[in-house]
Amino acid sequence: MSTTTQKMLPLEPPSVGGSLFASSNMLTLRAIRAIQRVPATFLPTLAMPIFQAVAFAGTYFAITKIPGFPTDRSINWFLSLSGCMGGAFSGLGLGFSAIRDIESGFMDRLRMAPTPRIALLLGPLLSSLVRTFVVLTTVLGVGYLFGARPTQGVFGILMFYLAGFGLAIVATGWGLGLAYRFRDMRGAALMQLTLFLVLFTSSAQAPMSMMQGWLLHVARVNPATNILRLSRQGFLNPPVGGVTWENTWGGLLAIVVLGTLTMWFAYTGLRKLDD
Amino acid sequence: MTTAVLAAATRHTTRDSLRQTFALSKRSTLEILRQPALVAPSLIFPLFFAALGASSFGRAVGKLDGLKDVSSFLEFSLASTLAQGVLFGSTTGGTALATDIENGFMDRLLASPSTRIGILVGRLAGGSVFGALQSIFFIVALYPFGVRIQGGIIGAFIMVLSGALIAMSIGGFMTAMALKTGSSEAVQGAFPLVFISLFFSSAFFPRESMTGAYKAIANYNPLSYLVEGLRVLTLHGLTSQAIAQSLLIPIAIGIGSIALSLRQLSKRLAQQ
């Protein structure tokens, strides 16, 4: 008994850095194990982007025939939307988990644990990146089976992953921030709705050159358009496609700015839990 | 004398059954209308998709097969908007029935001297009324944006009637699901199946522009023909084929789905 106690309680408290790493690591592992133990919480995140890629590519196949469309493969166009959607919903999934933890009281126990508070953000963030990697790789594989072919080699695929990871960071911050503020499933509805609106009012379905009316004005100022451009550059034909700095910097900037703002939103939300 | 008394009793029972069915229909209609949080998404999202499609694919009009004789993409989208909204809304009735089962209200209804069929018909009638109201809403909401129904008032009436029938036919499947599982979560879980069946049809883009396996699936999907019937009423006017497609397809689906839900009701009653 005493031996067990000694093993569980170290003689000296761990350093802040060590504790942060260990706590974040444990929270990441917990979220990853949840995929295996409660697959119903992760399967929609995986299935929805795959369905979307296949269904959109099939339904809107003919738009590639419009002169000036930047690819002759509709799956090449819609794969990036699915990748970004997958990354975003992987991040939001951690927001849903946070709501479940708050409702079940587990979050209170986590908050009472002698670990840096930032671990409660870092753990979910790391696990959302792991989830995103699984989703992006699956979407890419299924997309390949349905005829998607990168036009810019490995660098193009890297950009696809980069955009997906970026949106996962943004969505994790947004999801956790809303979860810590609403503290019930009302927050989940708002998370999905906002993300859905932001993604679809961008160049999600058609290139800017094809758009007309209100959507063109909205898509022009929507940062999701830049992130989609970052993701798509490796799957489109030049001159629109091609891994170039011009196609990259806007997306990177959007990810950095939105990621910082949403993670700050999550951090202040976490502090509000103490009120 | 005895015969006359029995006949009077039978007449009374039939009248009572009708009254009960009407009361249950009114209850289910009001139940849907009094929950704006449940109703709003099935009205707003189809309109959002219509606006999105019109801005995204407006330039495809006149260029692609199936869109060459179309004046605007929004007019082309009216049929899919209506079908989409009514399909989404039809899950609401099934979910409400499952909630009745979960919270024990269904048991109280079954214990009361009310007609069994009335419980089912009342629920489906409520969904149908909502489907018709949704159809009117979409036609009116898109009118200021230049969407006109070439079939005129009769065409619009057939579209509204079709909306009511679609709600009843798909509501039948959702009711069967509710009666089988008794779980509102399971009924909600069936929603993606409706969504997928709509996407693998010609609801959002013409069949003429599709190729390969996708076109083959859309060719076998009855929703393709239903939406195309509604589309002809909007874009080209009244034709007997369009009227038949708009009304007979949901009736045929409805016969199957209501038979299924009646079977599930019998099974549930046998278990009581």
Side-chain angles (χ1 to χ4, degrees):
Chain A
M1 174 80 184
S2 60
T3 315
T4 311
T5 313
Q6 276 174 1
K7 273 183 185 172
M8 286 173 69
L9 296 171
L11 293 174
E12 289 179 14
S15 65
V16 173
S19 177
L20 172 65
F21 178 76
S23 306
S24 304
N25 203 20
M26 290 311 291
L27 286 169
T28 307
L29 282 174
R30 175 177 175 257
I32 293 168
R33 279 192 189 132
I35 298 174
Q36 187 191 352
R37 290 177 184 169
V38 196
T41 58
F42 180 64
L43 278 179
T45 307
L46 187 64
M48 198 62 190
I50 293 171
F51 163 71
Q52 192 182 46
V54 175
F56 276 41
T59 301
Y60 303 123
F61 163 78
I63 59 166
T64 57
K65 291 178 181 168
I66 296 172
F69 198 85
T71 175
D72 54 352
R73 292 170 185 263
S74 58
I75 187 83
N76 271 23
W77 178 259
F78 288 108
L79 196 70
S80 291
L81 171 63
S82 301
C84 287
M85 189 72 96
F89 275 90
S90 299
L92 290 190
L94 276 300
F96 302 161
S97 301
I99 290 173
R100 278 195 294 274
D101 285 345
I102 291 168
E103 286 181 334
S104 67
F106 187 70
M107 182 61 78
D108 290 334
R109 281 187 272 165
L110 282 177
R111 283 166 54 230
M112 281 191 289
T115 56
R117 195 52 54 91
I118 201 83
L120 294 179
L121 296 179
L122 200 58
L125 181 63
L126 292 174
S127 53
S128 88
L129 294 178
V130 174
R131 282 168 172 235
T132 303
F133 179 77
V134 175
V135 172
L136 291 177
T137 306
T138 312
V139 166
L140 203 59
V142 173
Y144 188 85
L145 291 176
F146 279 85
R149 295 292 178 270
T151 57
Q152 307 296 320
V154 178
F155 283 110
I157 294 172
L158 282 176
M159 295 299 144
F160 173 81
Y161 274 92
L162 187 61
F165 285 135
L167 262 174
I169 294 168
V170 173
T172 304
W174 182 238
L176 291 177
L178 287 175
Y180 294 148
R181 281 169 175 83
F182 280 91
R183 300 168 199 186
D184 59 30
M185 280 299 167
R186 285 175 306 155
L190 196 60
M191 284 174 211
Q192 294 183 76
L193 187 68
T194 45
L195 202 87
F196 192 76
L197 286 176
V198 168
L199 269 177
F200 272 92
T201 52
S202 67
S203 59
Q205 295 197 105
M208 302 276 280
S209 58
M210 262 183 66
M211 285 181 199
Q212 53 187 18
W214 67 276
L215 185 60
L216 180 62
H217 302 293
V218 177
R220 198 170 275 153
V221 294
N222 187 341
T225 300
N226 288 332
I227 301 175
L228 279 164
R229 189 185 299 125
L230 170 72
S231 176
R232 277 188 181 127
Q233 56 185 312
F235 288 89
L236 304 181
N237 301 327
V240 178
V243 180
T244 62
W245 179 241
E246 195 187 341
N247 281 334
T248 306
W249 74 266
L252 286 181
L253 184 67
I255 288 169
V256 170
V257 172
L258 289 178
T260 308
L261 287 174
T262 54
M263 289 313 290
W264 178 254
F265 180 65
Y267 179 70
T268 52
L270 184 59
R271 289 183 63 174
K272 277 182 194 288
L273 276 182
D274 296 332
D275 296 343
Chain B
M1 170 108 185
T2 314
T3 314
V5 169
L6 274 174
T10 310
R11 273 200 302 275
H12 180 72
T13 306
T14 310
R15 199 170 61 236
D16 274 358
S17 297
L18 285 173
R19 262 178 39 209
Q20 287 161 7
T21 305
F22 179 75
L24 289 167
S25 305
K26 191 178 166 187
R27 175 185 174 261
S28 62
T29 308
L30 290 175
E31 195 179 18
I32 294 170
L33 298 178
R34 282 176 182 165
Q35 298 184 77
L38 283 179
V39 170
S42 65
L43 296 174
I44 294 167
F45 271 96
L47 284 181
F48 173 70
F49 273 115
L52 204 63
S55 286
S56 298
F57 307 123
R59 286 191 202 278
V61 169
K63 294 190 181 83
L64 299 178
D65 290 341
L67 290 171
K68 283 181 177 156
D69 54 350
V70 174
S71 56
S72 87
F73 197 84
L74 206 56
E75 262 184 11
F76 175 85
S77 302
L78 175 61
S80 57
T81 304
L82 190 150
Q84 191 188 352
V86 174
L87 286 177
F88 290 177
S90 62
T91 55
T92 313
T95 308
L97 178 63
T99 308
D100 280 352
I101 294 169
E102 282 171 344
N103 64 24
F105 184 76
M106 181 76 172
D107 289 335
R108 278 186 278 162
L109 271 182
L110 292 176
S112 69
S114 63
T115 163
R116 302 294 190 248
I117 301 293
I119 297 170
L120 195 68
V121 172
R123 182 60 66 187
L124 293 174
S128 284
V129 170
F130 181 54
L133 291 175
Q134 277 182 300
S135 307
I136 295 168
F137 173 79
F138 292 128
I139 292 168
V140 171
L142 293 179
Y143 187 86
F145 300 96
V147 175
R148 301 287 181 270
I149 298 169
Q150 297 305 315
I153 299 284
I154 298 171
F157 175 75
I158 291 166
M159 289 176 83
V160 172
L161 189 61
S162 180
L165 291 170
I166 296 168
M168 180 169 276
S169 59
I170 304 300
F173 285 121
M174 295 301 159
T175 305
M177 174 78 89
L179 288 166
K180 185 171 176 63
T181 62
S183 157
S184 56
E185 207 173 337
V187 178
Q188 292 277 2
F191 167 74
L193 295 176
V194 176
F195 191 70
I196 288 169
S197 60
L198 190 66
F199 243 100
F200 283 92
S201 74
S202 59
F204 298 103
F205 236 58
R207 250 186 316 150
E208 294 89 323
S209 68
M210 295 175 187
T211 56
Y214 202 90
K215 185 171 188 170
I217 296 170
N219 282 342
Y220 281 109
N221 190 342
L223 287 179
S224 293
Y225 300 96
L226 168 59
V227 174
E228 283 165 15
L230 295 170
R231 194 168 282 152
V232 171
L233 291 175
T234 312
L235 298 173
H236 306 299
L238 290 172
T239 67
S240 52
Q241 191 183 341
I243 296 169
Q245 279 178 239
S246 304
L247 300 178
L248 295 183
I249 292 173
I251 287 172
I253 297 172
I255 288 169
S257 70
I258 292 168
L260 192 67
S261 52
L262 282 171
R263 193 178 145 85
Q264 288 305 329
L265 181 67
S266 306
K267 278 187 179 177
R268 180 163 278 275
L269 289 172
Q271 286 167 1
Q272 298 275 319

